[in-house]
Amino acid sequence: WFSLTASAYIGDHEHKDQGHLTLQRGADYLVQDGGGYGLDWTFPLHNTFAFDDQDPGAVVPKYFPGQGYWGNQTAISKYEATPAYVYAQANLTDSYYIPSDGFGWHNPATAVVRSTVFIGRLGLLIVHDQVAAAKATTTKIFNLNLANPAGVVRNGAMITGKVGSSKLFLSQAIVPVNSTTTLVPQTFEDEANNTNVTKSMNYQVRSSGQKADTFLHIFQATDLGTTSMLPFSTLTTPDGAAQGIEFDDGGTRRVFLFATRDTPSIPGV
């Protein structure tokens, strides 16, 4: 199964993790919550997008470089469930918005839209992120935590992971040409036992140098003996306004395209 979180902040015990996603096959947690964290430190432990503006004049609280508590418009903006697939789109832009309050805080992000398609019977998950920063120098970070660090292997644009009786394939279908990819064991402090714990492998793709970027990742959860991912081809329209993938599903050719330019706006931007 697949989960996606997106809602307006309402207080209580809610964390700064809008857009957080997870993927599980049976009892095997494949894309997971990275473990212990405080309310403010959900990045990089949760699977949320981040913006690092490295602003030397910023005052606390900053983004760490994750989200703020001020968003009240974040939501699952589009949803469709059919016998063949489930589609959901989350407009997360407002989660990075800081209102003007005299401290000189500013908005590092002007657009953050996460679109997903899940085909459960194939174990296939498509994740498209359309993002834009206020400044070209801001680093945009696709961030994810993969279970069982010892079982995670990267081979070019393909990453595989093994958990229990399941295997995860993760393909960097489309990432910015100037981006860098890292895979680092994610350690957190277990305060109850006063020890450091490594629960996941943190995967990040970082990009800067332009205000707008798109990221397209394809996941497939299969049984452990599967040797290759479902074949697919990437697509980009001639004008660059949409991108996605196509693949064969039995006797059906399926095509999923995602817009790259319909950037939403937030108050004051």
Side-chain angles (χ1 to χ4, degrees):
W1 54 264
F2 159 67
S3 69
L4 175 68
T5 300
S7 66
Y9 177 71
I10 58 174
D12 194 24
H13 194 63
E14 188 169 356
H15 295 261
K16 300 176 183 178
D17 65 349
Q18 303 307 324
H20 174 62
L21 59 86
T22 64
L23 181 63
Q24 182 163 339
R25 178 180 180 270
D28 301 328
Y29 207 1
L30 300 170
V31 179
Q32 65 177 14
D33 175 333
Y37 50 83
L39 291 177
D40 288 331
W41 295 95
T42 48
F43 174 84
L45 296 165
H46 276 196
N47 304 321
T48 57
F49 214 94
F51 294 79
D52 188 359
D53 55 13
Q54 299 181 355
D55 182 3
V59 292
V60 178
K62 199 193 171 191
Y63 301 97
F64 307 118
Q67 300 171 354
Y69 277 138
W70 301 272
N72 59 13
Q73 300 176 29
T74 295
I76 300 289
S77 52
K78 299 178 182 179
Y79 177 81
E80 181 183 26
T82 76
Y85 62 86
V86 176
Y87 164 75
Q89 183 182 88
N91 183 351
L92 310 169
T93 312
D94 200 42
S95 294
Y96 301 84
Y97 169 61
I98 292 182
S100 177
D101 54 11
F103 287 100
W105 296 346
H106 58 276
N107 310 313
T110 58
V112 189
V113 178
R114 171 160 283 181
S115 302
T116 62
V117 174
F118 182 55
I119 304 176
R121 58 187 174 74
L122 298 179
L124 191 71
L125 172 63
I126 307 168
V127 178
H128 183 266
D129 290 291
Q130 175 199 350
V131 300
K135 299 183 295 185
T137 54
T138 295
T139 300
K140 299 171 287 294
I141 309 170
F142 179 92
N143 172 72
L144 204 68
N145 289 279
L146 308 176
N148 185 24
V152 176
V153 177
R154 181 186 178 193
N155 183 10
M158 177 66 71
I159 295 167
T160 57
K162 298 179 180 180
V163 180
S165 61
S166 300
K167 189 170 186 177
L168 174 70
F169 293 91
L170 168 57
S171 172
Q172 295 178 321
I174 298 176
V175 295
V177 293
N178 62 339
S179 62
T180 59
T181 299
T182 58
L183 274 173
V184 179
Q186 183 62 56
T187 300
F188 66 92
E189 182 180 358
D190 182 350
E191 296 181 356
N193 299 307
N194 195 29
T195 59
N196 289 328
V197 178
T198 301
K199 181 179 178 182
S200 62
M201 181 70 80
N202 183 254
Y203 164 77
Q204 292 187 8
V205 182
R206 292 174 171 251
S207 176
S208 64
Q210 57 283 327
K211 290 185 177 180
D213 273 321
T214 57
F215 300 74
L216 180 62
H217 287 85
I218 316 300
F219 304 74
Q220 190 175 22
T222 69
D223 66 76
L224 193 59
T226 302
T227 58
S228 61
M229 189 178 196
L230 176 76
F232 67 87
S233 300
T234 58
L235 300 172
T236 301
T237 58
D239 62 357
Q243 58 190 192
I245 67 169
E246 63 176 337
F247 59 91
D248 286 323
D249 180 8
T252 303
R253 189 68 172 172
R254 299 202 184 276
V255 177
F256 293 97
L257 289 173
F258 306 91
T260 63
R261 297 179 181 171
D262 58 340
T263 52
S265 63
I266 57 178
V269 175

